[in-house]
Amino acid sequence: QVQLVESGGGLVQAGGSLRLSCAPSGRTFSSYSMGWFRQAPGKEREFVAAINWSGVTIYYADSVKGRFTISRDNAKDTVYLQMNSLQPEDAGVYYCAADYGRARIRSDEYAYWGQGTQVTVSS
């Protein structure tokens, strides 16, 4: 059963921006660490960004550092990924993930996942 729902994906030209949102379904994740991952066609799922429950600890993949920003609003029980200066290599399905405890960057350390939202970047 999907317990996280992503939204905000779409088609954008290179250099453009998108803001993804992730909200829970059926339970709260305000006390959980959250992460964003992406998967391009023919490639394995890769880490993008992560944030702990309080928002104090944040990690970014080197490929998105300085362009993407992860944040959360625990009052709304929602996590965001602001993506700026998008490039064709950023395209793929973006997934939201959650798990209790410290922020982590390995996909196999997350127990809860969303269904994914498509991001397409044209050059």
Short mmCIF file of all heavy atoms in Angstrom, two decimals, residues 1-9 19-29 34-36 76-81 93-98 112-118:
data_model
loop_
_atom_site.label_atom_id
_atom_site.label_comp_id
_atom_site.label_asym_id
_atom_site.label_seq_id
_atom_site.Cartn_x
_atom_site.Cartn_y
_atom_site.Cartn_z
N GLN A 1 0.84 -1.18 0.00
CA GLN A 1 0.00 0.00 0.00
C GLN A 1 0.88 1.25 0.00
O GLN A 1 1.79 1.37 0.81
CB GLN A 1 -0.92 0.02 1.21
CG GLN A 1 -1.85 1.21 1.26
CD GLN A 1 -2.77 1.19 2.46
OE1 GLN A 1 -2.74 0.26 3.26
NE2 GLN A 1 -3.58 2.22 2.60
N VAL A 2 0.62 2.16 -0.93
CA VAL A 2 1.35 3.42 -1.01
C VAL A 2 0.92 4.31 0.15
O VAL A 2 -0.28 4.55 0.35
CB VAL A 2 1.09 4.11 -2.36
CG1 VAL A 2 1.77 5.48 -2.38
CG2 VAL A 2 1.59 3.25 -3.50
N GLN A 3 1.91 4.83 0.90
CA GLN A 3 1.62 5.67 2.05
C GLN A 3 2.16 7.09 1.91
O GLN A 3 2.01 7.89 2.83
CB GLN A 3 2.15 5.01 3.31
CG GLN A 3 1.44 3.71 3.65
CD GLN A 3 1.89 3.11 4.95
OE1 GLN A 3 2.87 2.35 4.98
NE2 GLN A 3 1.21 3.45 6.03
N LEU A 4 2.79 7.39 0.79
CA LEU A 4 3.26 8.73 0.47
C LEU A 4 2.80 9.07 -0.94
O LEU A 4 2.78 8.21 -1.82
CB LEU A 4 4.78 8.83 0.55
CG LEU A 4 5.41 8.60 1.92
CD1 LEU A 4 6.91 8.40 1.79
CD2 LEU A 4 5.10 9.77 2.84
N VAL A 5 2.44 10.33 -1.17
CA VAL A 5 1.94 10.77 -2.47
C VAL A 5 2.73 11.98 -2.93
O VAL A 5 2.71 13.02 -2.26
CB VAL A 5 0.44 11.10 -2.41
CG1 VAL A 5 -0.05 11.56 -3.78
CG2 VAL A 5 -0.36 9.89 -1.95
N GLU A 6 3.41 11.85 -4.08
CA GLU A 6 4.17 12.95 -4.66
C GLU A 6 3.30 13.73 -5.64
O GLU A 6 2.39 13.17 -6.26
CB GLU A 6 5.41 12.44 -5.40
CG GLU A 6 6.36 11.60 -4.57
CD GLU A 6 6.11 10.12 -4.72
OE1 GLU A 6 4.97 9.73 -5.06
OE2 GLU A 6 7.05 9.33 -4.51
N SER A 7 3.61 15.02 -5.80
CA SER A 7 2.94 15.85 -6.78
C SER A 7 3.90 16.95 -7.24
O SER A 7 4.91 17.21 -6.59
CB SER A 7 1.65 16.46 -6.23
OG SER A 7 1.93 17.30 -5.12
N GLY A 8 3.58 17.59 -8.35
CA GLY A 8 4.35 18.72 -8.82
C GLY A 8 5.23 18.45 -10.02
O GLY A 8 5.88 19.37 -10.53
N GLY A 9 5.30 17.20 -10.47
CA GLY A 9 6.10 16.89 -11.64
C GLY A 9 5.49 17.45 -12.91
O GLY A 9 4.35 17.89 -12.93
N ARG A 19 8.67 22.53 -8.37
CA ARG A 19 8.63 22.27 -6.95
C ARG A 19 7.79 21.02 -6.70
O ARG A 19 6.59 21.00 -6.99
CB ARG A 19 8.02 23.44 -6.19
CG ARG A 19 8.16 23.32 -4.67
CD ARG A 19 7.28 24.32 -3.96
NE ARG A 19 7.62 24.45 -2.54
CZ ARG A 19 6.82 24.98 -1.62
NH1 ARG A 19 5.63 25.45 -1.97
NH2 ARG A 19 7.22 25.05 -0.36
N LEU A 20 8.42 19.99 -6.16
CA LEU A 20 7.73 18.76 -5.84
C LEU A 20 7.27 18.77 -4.39
O LEU A 20 7.93 19.34 -3.52
CB LEU A 20 8.65 17.55 -6.07
CG LEU A 20 9.31 17.43 -7.44
CD1 LEU A 20 10.12 16.14 -7.50
CD2 LEU A 20 8.28 17.48 -8.55
N SER A 21 6.13 18.13 -4.14
CA SER A 21 5.61 17.99 -2.80
C SER A 21 5.36 16.52 -2.49
O SER A 21 5.09 15.73 -3.39
CB SER A 21 4.29 18.77 -2.64
OG SER A 21 4.48 20.14 -2.86
N CYS A 22 5.45 16.17 -1.23
CA CYS A 22 5.20 14.81 -0.78
C CYS A 22 4.38 14.87 0.50
O CYS A 22 4.79 15.50 1.47
CB CYS A 22 6.52 14.07 -0.54
SG CYS A 22 6.34 12.42 0.16
N ALA A 23 3.23 14.22 0.49
CA ALA A 23 2.33 14.22 1.63
C ALA A 23 1.96 12.80 2.02
O ALA A 23 1.91 11.92 1.16
CB ALA A 23 1.07 15.02 1.33
N PRO A 24 1.70 12.55 3.29
CA PRO A 24 1.39 11.19 3.72
C PRO A 24 -0.04 10.79 3.39
O PRO A 24 -0.90 11.63 3.14
CB PRO A 24 1.59 11.25 5.23
CG PRO A 24 1.23 12.66 5.58
CD PRO A 24 1.72 13.49 4.44
N SER A 25 -0.24 9.48 3.38
CA SER A 25 -1.56 8.90 3.20
C SER A 25 -1.75 7.82 4.25
O SER A 25 -1.03 6.82 4.24
CB SER A 25 -1.72 8.31 1.80
OG SER A 25 -2.97 7.68 1.65
N GLY A 26 -2.67 8.03 5.18
CA GLY A 26 -2.99 7.03 6.18
C GLY A 26 -2.27 7.15 7.51
O GLY A 26 -2.70 6.54 8.48
N ARG A 27 -1.19 7.91 7.55
CA ARG A 27 -0.45 8.10 8.80
C ARG A 27 0.41 9.35 8.70
O ARG A 27 0.63 9.88 7.61
CB ARG A 27 0.43 6.88 9.14
CG ARG A 27 1.54 6.62 8.14
CD ARG A 27 2.46 5.52 8.62
NE ARG A 27 3.13 5.88 9.85
CZ ARG A 27 3.86 5.05 10.59
NH1 ARG A 27 3.99 3.79 10.22
NH2 ARG A 27 4.44 5.47 11.70
N THR A 28 0.90 9.81 9.85
CA THR A 28 1.76 10.98 9.87
C THR A 28 3.23 10.57 9.76
O THR A 28 3.63 9.50 10.23
CB THR A 28 1.56 11.80 11.15
OG1 THR A 28 2.43 12.94 11.12
CG2 THR A 28 1.87 10.97 12.39
N PHE A 29 4.04 11.42 9.12
CA PHE A 29 5.47 11.21 9.01
C PHE A 29 6.25 12.40 9.55
O PHE A 29 7.42 12.58 9.21
CB PHE A 29 5.87 10.92 7.56
CG PHE A 29 5.46 9.55 7.08
CD1 PHE A 29 4.28 9.37 6.39
CD2 PHE A 29 6.26 8.45 7.33
CE1 PHE A 29 3.90 8.11 5.96
CE2 PHE A 29 5.89 7.19 6.90
CZ PHE A 29 4.70 7.02 6.22
N MET A 34 12.98 12.06 5.85
CA MET A 34 12.41 11.97 4.52
C MET A 34 13.51 12.09 3.49
O MET A 34 14.53 12.75 3.71
CB MET A 34 11.38 13.09 4.29
CG MET A 34 10.31 13.20 5.36
SD MET A 34 9.14 11.81 5.33
CE MET A 34 8.33 12.09 3.76
N GLY A 35 13.29 11.47 2.34
CA GLY A 35 14.27 11.53 1.27
C GLY A 35 13.62 11.62 -0.09
O GLY A 35 12.45 11.26 -0.26
N TRP A 36 14.38 12.13 -1.06
CA TRP A 36 13.98 12.15 -2.46
C TRP A 36 14.98 11.34 -3.27
O TRP A 36 16.20 11.49 -3.10
CB TRP A 36 13.91 13.57 -3.01
CG TRP A 36 12.75 14.38 -2.53
CD1 TRP A 36 12.74 15.28 -1.52
CD2 TRP A 36 11.43 14.36 -3.07
NE1 TRP A 36 11.49 15.82 -1.38
CE2 TRP A 36 10.66 15.28 -2.32
CE3 TRP A 36 10.81 13.66 -4.11
CZ2 TRP A 36 9.31 15.51 -2.58
CZ3 TRP A 36 9.46 13.89 -4.36
CH2 TRP A 36 8.74 14.81 -3.60
N LYS A 76 2.14 20.90 8.31
CA LYS A 76 1.38 20.41 7.17
C LYS A 76 1.71 18.96 6.84
O LYS A 76 1.09 18.38 5.94
CB LYS A 76 1.62 21.28 5.94
CG LYS A 76 1.17 22.72 6.10
CD LYS A 76 1.44 23.51 4.84
CE LYS A 76 0.96 24.94 4.98
NZ LYS A 76 1.24 25.73 3.76
N ASP A 77 2.71 18.40 7.55
CA ASP A 77 3.14 17.02 7.33
C ASP A 77 3.53 16.82 5.86
O ASP A 77 3.15 15.82 5.23
CB ASP A 77 2.05 16.03 7.73
CG ASP A 77 2.59 14.69 8.19
OD1 ASP A 77 3.82 14.54 8.30
OD2 ASP A 77 1.77 13.78 8.44
N THR A 78 4.30 17.75 5.34
CA THR A 78 4.67 17.76 3.93
C THR A 78 6.16 18.06 3.76
O THR A 78 6.71 18.89 4.48
CB THR A 78 3.85 18.80 3.16
OG1 THR A 78 2.45 18.51 3.31
CG2 THR A 78 4.19 18.79 1.68
N VAL A 79 6.79 17.39 2.81
CA VAL A 79 8.18 17.66 2.45
C VAL A 79 8.21 18.16 1.01
O VAL A 79 7.39 17.74 0.18
CB VAL A 79 9.06 16.41 2.65
CG1 VAL A 79 8.64 15.29 1.71
CG2 VAL A 79 10.53 16.76 2.44
N TYR A 80 9.15 19.06 0.71
CA TYR A 80 9.23 19.69 -0.60
C TYR A 80 10.62 19.49 -1.20
O TYR A 80 11.61 19.32 -0.51
CB TYR A 80 8.97 21.19 -0.50
CG TYR A 80 7.66 21.54 0.17
CD1 TYR A 80 7.62 21.84 1.52
CD2 TYR A 80 6.48 21.56 -0.55
CE1 TYR A 80 6.43 22.16 2.14
CE2 TYR A 80 5.28 21.88 0.06
CZ TYR A 80 5.26 22.18 1.41
OH TYR A 80 4.07 22.50 2.02
N LEU A 81 10.67 19.54 -2.52
CA LEU A 81 11.93 19.58 -3.24
C LEU A 81 11.82 20.68 -4.29
O LEU A 81 11.12 20.51 -5.30
CB LEU A 81 12.24 18.23 -3.90
CG LEU A 81 13.60 18.16 -4.60
CD1 LEU A 81 14.73 18.21 -3.58
CD2 LEU A 81 13.70 16.90 -5.46
N VAL A 93 11.75 9.70 -13.00
CA VAL A 93 10.68 9.59 -12.03
C VAL A 93 11.25 9.89 -10.65
O VAL A 93 12.22 9.27 -10.23
CB VAL A 93 10.03 8.19 -12.05
CG1 VAL A 93 8.95 8.08 -10.98
CG2 VAL A 93 9.46 7.89 -13.43
N TYR A 94 10.65 10.84 -9.96
CA TYR A 94 11.10 11.24 -8.64
C TYR A 94 10.22 10.60 -7.58
O TYR A 94 8.99 10.67 -7.64
CB TYR A 94 11.07 12.76 -8.50
CG TYR A 94 12.25 13.43 -9.14
CD1 TYR A 94 12.41 13.43 -10.52
CD2 TYR A 94 13.23 14.05 -8.36
CE1 TYR A 94 13.51 14.03 -11.11
CE2 TYR A 94 14.33 14.66 -8.95
CZ TYR A 94 14.47 14.64 -10.32
OH TYR A 94 15.56 15.24 -10.90
N TYR A 95 10.87 9.98 -6.59
CA TYR A 95 10.18 9.26 -5.53
C TYR A 95 10.46 9.90 -4.18
O TYR A 95 11.59 10.30 -3.89
CB TYR A 95 10.64 7.80 -5.47
CG TYR A 95 10.35 6.99 -6.71
CD1 TYR A 95 11.27 6.90 -7.75
CD2 TYR A 95 9.15 6.30 -6.83
CE1 TYR A 95 11.01 6.16 -8.88
CE2 TYR A 95 8.88 5.55 -7.96
CZ TYR A 95 9.81 5.48 -8.97
OH TYR A 95 9.54 4.73 -10.09
N CYS A 96 9.44 9.97 -3.36
CA CYS A 96 9.55 10.38 -1.97
C CYS A 96 9.62 9.14 -1.10
O CYS A 96 8.94 8.14 -1.37
CB CYS A 96 8.35 11.25 -1.59
SG CYS A 96 8.31 11.80 0.12
N ALA A 97 10.44 9.19 -0.05
CA ALA A 97 10.60 8.06 0.86
C ALA A 97 10.67 8.55 2.30
O ALA A 97 11.03 9.69 2.57
CB ALA A 97 11.85 7.26 0.52
N ALA A 98 10.33 7.66 3.25
CA ALA A 98 10.33 8.01 4.66
C ALA A 98 10.74 6.82 5.51
O ALA A 98 10.48 5.67 5.15
CB ALA A 98 8.96 8.51 5.10
N TYR A 112 9.12 3.32 3.62
CA TYR A 112 7.89 3.82 3.03
C TYR A 112 8.21 4.64 1.79
O TYR A 112 9.13 5.46 1.78
CB TYR A 112 7.12 4.68 4.04
CG TYR A 112 6.83 3.94 5.32
CD1 TYR A 112 7.63 4.11 6.45
CD2 TYR A 112 5.75 3.06 5.41
CE1 TYR A 112 7.36 3.43 7.62
CE2 TYR A 112 5.48 2.38 6.57
CZ TYR A 112 6.29 2.56 7.67
OH TYR A 112 6.04 1.88 8.84
N TRP A 113 7.42 4.43 0.74
CA TRP A 113 7.66 5.07 -0.56
C TRP A 113 6.38 5.57 -1.18
O TRP A 113 5.29 5.04 -0.94
CB TRP A 113 8.31 4.07 -1.52
CG TRP A 113 9.72 3.72 -1.15
CD1 TRP A 113 10.11 2.77 -0.28
CD2 TRP A 113 10.90 4.33 -1.66
NE1 TRP A 113 11.49 2.74 -0.20
CE2 TRP A 113 11.99 3.68 -1.04
CE3 TRP A 113 11.16 5.35 -2.57
CZ2 TRP A 113 13.31 4.03 -1.30
CZ3 TRP A 113 12.46 5.69 -2.84
CH2 TRP A 113 13.52 5.03 -2.21
N GLY A 114 6.51 6.59 -2.00
CA GLY A 114 5.42 7.05 -2.83
C GLY A 114 5.43 6.36 -4.17
O GLY A 114 6.30 5.53 -4.47
N GLN A 115 4.47 6.71 -5.02
CA GLN A 115 4.34 6.08 -6.33
C GLN A 115 5.22 6.72 -7.40
O GLN A 115 5.41 6.14 -8.47
CB GLN A 115 2.88 6.13 -6.79
CG GLN A 115 2.43 7.44 -7.43
CD GLN A 115 2.31 8.60 -6.46
OE1 GLN A 115 2.36 8.43 -5.24
NE2 GLN A 115 2.16 9.80 -7.00
N GLY A 116 5.76 7.90 -7.12
CA GLY A 116 6.62 8.60 -8.05
C GLY A 116 5.88 9.63 -8.87
O GLY A 116 4.68 9.51 -9.13
N THR A 117 6.60 10.67 -9.30
CA THR A 117 6.06 11.69 -10.18
C THR A 117 7.08 11.97 -11.27
O THR A 117 8.28 12.07 -11.01
CB THR A 117 5.70 12.97 -9.40
OG1 THR A 117 5.07 13.91 -10.28
CG2 THR A 117 6.93 13.62 -8.77
N GLN A 118 6.61 12.08 -12.52
CA GLN A 118 7.49 12.21 -13.67
C GLN A 118 7.98 13.64 -13.83
O GLN A 118 7.19 14.59 -13.79
CB GLN A 118 6.76 11.77 -14.94
CG GLN A 118 7.59 11.90 -16.22
CD GLN A 118 8.71 10.90 -16.29
OE1 GLN A 118 8.49 9.71 -16.06
NE2 GLN A 118 9.92 11.37 -16.60
#
